Amino acid sequence: MHVTEDSQTRSPAQPPRWGVLPGGLPPEFTQLLPPVPGKIDKPVGHNVKLKCQVSGVPEPTVTWFKDGMELREGSLGGESRLTRHYLHLMDLRPQDAGTYTCAAANPLGAAAANWTLGVIDQARPREPEFHPQEPANTTVPVGRPATLQCSGNSEVVPHIKWLRRLEEGSPEAEHIPDNETLKWKGHRYVVLQATQVLTPGDGSFYTKVRTGKGSGARGGGVVPLSGAPEPSV
């Protein structure tokens, strides 16, 4: 994606002159994806979509900016697209890095949301590095849930899956079909509920998982895994 020369530079959140309108409402964001304030890291060649939905009376105008420069439909190169509520950047290049702003305004006020996009200048970033002390072995009484956590460092926000190993020969392992499990390093695993990966913005990440109520039949190793192994077939 690239911005053409005819883009204009002005304040991302410059509202019209304030006024009083009976029954009017200032702009308010109803959905922002990814959530803001946000730091997004993507490798070169990948895509990113920003979503900005806003309400207000009268209907607010919505303007998109990159580093303070107004973006307009048709000013993006390649297959990148810009609409009122979406900015879809395709085939990212290092020069696409910057701060993207969705600004909304009507006679009663203005609001702005910012995303900071980083573009990793390599086709395949290095694998995430987990801190070796995590996750720690945890013992809980029967019938109580367990919370496990892990952290580490990654050039981009990693995709983490938590897996629970099925003990061979256990009743649970016998009743779960192979197509509902993952095979990894010679063992069968079930995937636990997806968890959010928190990234403070300094290259580190943190994630945790809370298991269901434990029982003697549901023991087994739980591991975080970056990147998904192939389902067994």
Side-chain angles (χ1 to χ4, degrees), residues 11-131:
S11 171
Q14 205 168 35
R17 188 180 302 276
W18 306 120
V20 177
L21 296 176
L25 295 171
E28 181 180 1
F29 293 116
T30 58
Q31 188 175 36
L32 295 170
L33 294 175
V36 296
K39 175 71 165 66
I40 308 167
D41 292 309
K42 292 285 186 178
V44 167
H46 282 223
N47 307 325
V48 65
K49 177 185 282 188
L50 306 180
K51 182 178 181 180
C52 167
Q53 286 193 310
V54 63
S55 64
V57 179
E59 185 178 12
T61 61
V62 176
T63 310
W64 288 87
F65 298 84
K66 176 182 183 289
D67 296 330
M69 178 176 291
E70 183 178 350
L71 302 176
R72 296 182 177 182
E73 187 175 0
S75 68
L76 308 179
E79 298 181 2
S80 295
R81 300 187 300 275
L82 173 65
T83 66
R84 173 180 167 85
H85 296 297
Y86 292 93
L87 175 60
H88 198 175
L89 305 176
M90 309 288 289
D91 193 20
L92 291 173
R93 297 183 295 174
Q95 54 265 42
D96 294 326
T99 298
Y100 290 84
T101 302
C102 174
N106 71 7
L108 296 180
N114 298 297
W115 295 267
T116 301
L117 173 64
V119 181
I120 308 300
D121 191 10
Q122 58 185 67
R124 184 177 179 85
R126 290 192 295 270
E127 292 290 333
E129 296 179 355
F130 290 101
H131 291 159

Side-chain angles (χ1 to χ4, degrees), residues 71-192:
L71 302 176
R72 296 182 177 182
E73 187 175 0
S75 68
L76 308 179
E79 298 181 2
S80 295
R81 300 187 300 275
L82 173 65
T83 66
R84 173 180 167 85
H85 296 297
Y86 292 93
L87 175 60
H88 198 175
L89 305 176
M90 309 288 289
D91 193 20
L92 291 173
R93 297 183 295 174
Q95 54 265 42
D96 294 326
T99 298
Y100 290 84
T101 302
C102 174
N106 71 7
L108 296 180
N114 298 297
W115 295 267
T116 301
L117 173 64
V119 181
I120 308 300
D121 191 10
Q122 58 185 67
R124 184 177 179 85
R126 290 192 295 270
E127 292 290 333
E129 296 179 355
F130 290 101
H131 291 159
Q133 298 86 0
E134 298 175 348
N137 290 334
T138 302
T139 301
V140 296
V142 172
R144 298 289 299 275
T147 299
L148 305 173
Q149 68 180 41
C150 80
S151 58
N153 294 282
S154 178
E155 293 179 341
V156 298
V157 178
H159 177 68
I160 303 293
K161 283 188 176 182
W162 285 86
L163 310 179
R164 181 171 60 82
R165 191 178 69 203
L166 295 175
E167 298 297 330
E168 295 298 330
S170 67
E172 183 185 23
E174 296 294 331
H175 285 87
I176 297 181
D178 283 347
N179 60 5
E180 295 181 7
T181 66
L182 300 176
K183 280 189 176 179
W184 186 56
K185 293 187 176 181
H187 296 282
R188 293 173 65 215
Y189 291 82
V190 292
V191 180
L192 301 181

